[in-house]
Amino acid sequence: SNDPSIAISGSTVHVVWCDFRDSKKEIYYKRSTDGGANWGNDIALTPDDDETSNYPCVAVSGDTVYVVWQDYLDNCEVYYRRSADAGSNWEISERLTYAEASSIYPSVSVSDSKIHVVWTDNRDGNFEIYYKHSGEIQPDNLIKNPDESGYTGDDVYNEDGTDQTSEQTVDPGDTACYHVRIENDGDVFDTVAVTGTGSVEGWTVTYYDALEGGTDITADVTGSGWAIDSLCPGDFTEIRVEVIPDAGLPADSVCEVLVTSISERDTSRLDAVKATTTTQGGYQPDNQIKNHIDVTYTGDDVYNTDGANQTISQTILDGDTAIYHVKIENDGSVSDTFTVIGTASSASWDVYYYDALTGGTDITAQVTLPNVGWSTGELNPGDFIEIRMEVTPVSASDGSTYDVLVVSASDIADTCTDAVKAGTTVEGGTVEETETLVYSIDVSTLSSCKVGVYFTLPQANNVTLSLFDAAGRAVETLNLGMTEAGSHTADIGDAALSKGVYFVKLEAGEKVLTRKLVLTR
């Protein structure tokens, strides 16, 4: 046992030496934690081989112990090993010199966690003293989308991805791919552990050790870390991160993936980049509604489950029918099929649904069947289908209202829905039967084929009368202007009217009344 070296920190004494106990020279270490009164076991620091390891030197700073020695593993070179927990455990050995000539008799010292090493070297044909120090330790993570030419985050170091974040918006079920570069910005060899966010509910996150193809390293990255061994200063490794939202996720769902690289030399030295993935409106039905004689629909790009801000109302006489048009549009970015479910008839109201704005097939049985519904068939993005809804009071009391809700849901993502609402109010009696003035309207056909309109206003108001055909096309509009309270008559139409179904709409301020008329001549 020869060539001893000693270092002391507090009451802990560290000793290394060269020992010939197994017919070869190896470096051994032992310590005392009570100022030399008692000693622990001998620990072999050099590999169990037939080469010679000798001339060790030890230095200590706090609980970190540093040992250098000369070794004949490759040539006569200087090697280094470190313990971060006062000698209990030791990191792997690292070669410090690479000259073809001999590097011998090393010595080590440490100050403020920087390691200084000197040795004798004859690489220039004669023995000279050489020196090196530990330098800076700094992993540098960078990130980019695959179609981008340059990475984001060069020389930016933090633990939350600030100023080094990439973003993508994809359809549910599609893949967002990110490229991550792990670079050694220090000036010494380093081993880096790469960790990353794993899969979460609704999102699958996978890591690969190449920008294309490669090996799945997800288990390591999301576990204890994927190791990049002996990364030279300035060198880098690139990996790929794939983030996939489930097909059923609604629009604007967000997943943030943090990828962190940590130096194994100094775990306080790290860097992180962030990938933020958002789902776009991949699956989104858009229900819209209007009275059959209105020109435009209400509710475009409004999505909810209760018809708020996309509700239409009509007031009709007992026995008349309120007709509504409903448009079901694919506002998503992929082809989809929607299931339509609507409110059914009640004891006092009849509700019927048809697959066309005029005529068509009665689809009431399917629409009003809970948990089944009527299918629109496949709609491409931007395409739509229109259906008709007819609401008739059969025994409803005057002034009562029946609300009908029509809901469409994506067949792929059934949480993606939209709803519109129609509120129909029954108003009994005619003008002649009304004792107290209320808003009312009645119609009849004159001999000239003009339509006679009889209406009552409880208060003065601006009045407009409109005549529409069964397809909702305007035939004529009369602007009567400010009209006094009371009963009034007006004629609308002309002799050119052909037989068929027509509708007269009275607009008095915010009050809208509609009456149906059948010409049989």
Side-chain angles (χ1 to χ4, degrees), residues 464-468 474-479 492 507:
T464 300
L465 289 176
S466 303
L467 180 65
F468 298 85
V475 176
E476 185 179 356
T477 299
L478 295 177
N479 293 311
I492 192 169
E507 296 176 90

Side-chain angles (χ1 to χ4, degrees), residues 9 73 80 108-109 157 225 232 240 345 356 361 382 447 470 514:
S9 177
L73 278 171
Y80 158 85
V108 64
S109 186
Y157 315 114
C232 295
R240 182 173 86 257
S345 301
T361 302
S447 58
T514 304

